[in-house]
Amino acid sequence: MLEHGGRLRAAAQQYGIPLNEWLDLSTGLAPWPFSFPAVPASVWQRLPEAEDGLAGVAAQRYGAAQALPVAGAQAAIQLLPQLRSAGSRIGIAAPCYAEHAHAWQRAGHQLLELRDEAIEAALDELDVLLLVNPNNPTGRVFAPAQLLAWHARLAARCGWLVVDEAFIDATPELSLAAHSHTPGLIVLRSFGKFYGLAGVRLGFVLAEPSLLNDLNERLGPWAVSGPARWIGLACLADETAHQQQSLRLQQASQRLADLLAEFGLVTQGCALFQWLLTAQAAALHQHFAQRGILLRHFTQPQSLRFGLPATEADWQRLRVTLGELPGSKS
């Protein structure tokens, strides 16, 4: 399996720092989880029921015609390649979340990793174009109009545009959810990141009914646990908390960008993280880890992703550690 952020126990063992002394900024998750009432005992005792209204509430939240609940967007990432004929030509806007390329390659497809500026020229040779918007880890965004134009060209040849919108909740104006009922457009939404509840393992696929039916058949019965469905319903329907979370995330991300810039680290990002492109990524990652702060290190290209601190004490701890960098500018 590929390596991901959040492996706090492994870091604790590697650096000899107790688990409860770490500040984990490696995952790109909202550090303030939504609150919800206690899950009733009956939810634990019954098999999950697709008629509980979760799909409809999610579709309404995202502005989509239909939504299919899945056990985290990762479940859909692994299964979507099985719905295309082997040997299809898959273009992936890179760098991006590595599980996408991994899943399509494992299913026997031809993979072409594309820089943003190369997509236009390559599009007519592709069966599928896949991208993350906002991108993970760079935070780059594509305008909806550009994506819809690419989708039209792909769909005319029975191709797909797959858009992973895992980090889009705080900027819903960028979403293609309202267009996801059209053939050839598949939108993936993550629950855990925006709601700060990654352990729930919940996500949604937004697409035309026939594709959702095919995917649902491959998922099999009870793909999402009853407690996860119950928590998802409670959180998705909380409009006030949704607005508060969006504002808080955007403010915190800007604060993080400003703090890093204060120490000479110029970043780009989205509402949930900031990304630093630097040849010194490995050394910087070790500097922070030795002080009990876990960042996400990427090797292609060499870079670091900084998640959002949750408390003022966390912010001050990050500031102190930045101030200990060799040659710090502040």
Side-chain angles (χ1 to χ4, degrees):
M1 290 186 291
L2 301 179
E3 184 176 328
H4 296 286
R7 300 182 64 221
L8 203 58
R9 284 183 170 81
Q13 294 172 3
Q14 180 179 353
Y15 290 94
I17 300 173
L19 191 65
N20 62 354
E21 295 181 14
W22 282 84
L23 171 57
D24 186 5
L25 303 181
S26 70
T27 61
L29 298 172
W32 313 286
F34 269 48
S35 59
F36 50 87
V39 179
S42 60
V43 174
W44 294 100
Q45 294 166 340
R46 292 177 60 85
L47 287 170
E49 296 178 303
E51 300 79 16
D52 60 5
L54 175 60
V57 169
Q60 183 177 11
R61 162 60 62 196
Y62 299 138
Q66 286 189 297
L68 175 66
V70 292
Q74 180 63 37
I77 290 170
Q78 292 176 205
L79 285 179
L80 278 174
Q82 299 178 23
L83 301 185
R84 297 288 310 196
S85 299
S88 294
R89 295 160 297 181
I90 315 301
I92 294 185
C96 80
Y97 180 56
E99 289 288 348
H100 286 294
H102 185 60
W104 287 93
Q105 283 182 318
R106 188 169 52 188
H109 298 287
Q110 303 174 37
L111 192 69
L112 180 62
E113 295 192 346
L114 300 167
R115 298 298 178 184
D116 295 353
E117 59 274 12
I119 293 175
E120 183 71 27
L123 193 67
D124 293 331
E125 302 301 320
L126 301 177
D127 298 305
V128 176
L129 173 62
L130 189 151
L131 52 87
V132 184
N133 196 42
N135 188 45
N136 173 28
T138 69
R140 173 269 292 127
V141 298
F142 284 109
Q146 175 67 82
L147 297 180
L148 290 173
W150 286 342
H151 164 248
R153 288 166 60 184
L154 288 160
R157 299 181 289 104
C158 297
W160 286 356
L161 174 65
V162 181
V163 184
D164 181 345
E165 295 185 345
F167 294 93
I168 212 168
D169 289 75
T171 50
E173 67 277 5
L174 297 173
S175 177
L176 296 190
H179 305 273
S180 59
H181 60 283
T182 58
L185 178 58
I186 302 166
V187 176
L188 308 180
R189 296 295 290 254
S190 173
F191 175 83
K193 296 174 178 60
F194 178 80
Y195 294 91
L197 297 168
V200 173
R201 303 313 305 142
L202 180 63
F204 300 91
V205 184
L206 316 178
E208 63 173 318
S210 62
L211 189 141
L212 294 183
N213 288 337
D214 289 346
L215 190 57
N216 196 32
E217 286 294 322
R218 291 181 180 270
L219 287 168
W222 315 302
V224 179
S225 74
R229 299 182 70 98
W230 194 92
I231 293 169
L233 271 166
C235 294
L236 286 163
D238 194 339
E239 178 66 30
T240 299
H242 192 279
Q243 294 176 355
Q244 293 172 343
Q245 186 83 316
S246 293
L247 179 60
R248 182 159 56 170
L249 287 170
Q250 292 183 49
Q251 290 175 339
S253 186
Q254 185 59 57
R255 179 179 178 181
L256 179 59
D258 292 343
L259 175 61
L260 295 171
E262 184 181 331
F263 291 89
L265 304 179
V266 179
T267 62
Q268 62 188 62
C270 66
L272 283 154
F273 58 80
Q274 289 293 316
W275 181 68
L276 175 66
L277 178 65
T278 171
Q280 304 304 314
L284 289 171
H285 180 268
Q286 184 170 4
H287 169 87
F288 284 92
Q290 289 172 338
R291 292 157 178 81
I293 298 179
L294 186 61
L295 305 179
R296 181 72 168 93
H297 176 216
F298 298 90
T299 58
Q300 294 295 328
Q302 282 288 339
S303 54
L304 292 173
R305 190 184 65 198
F306 291 76
L308 305 177
T311 66
E312 281 302 314
D314 293 340
W315 282 102
Q316 293 308 312
R317 182 174 175 183
L318 178 58
R319 172 179 285 279
V320 168
T321 304
L322 285 165
E324 295 172 346
L325 288 170
S328 172
K329 295 183 179 182
S330 181

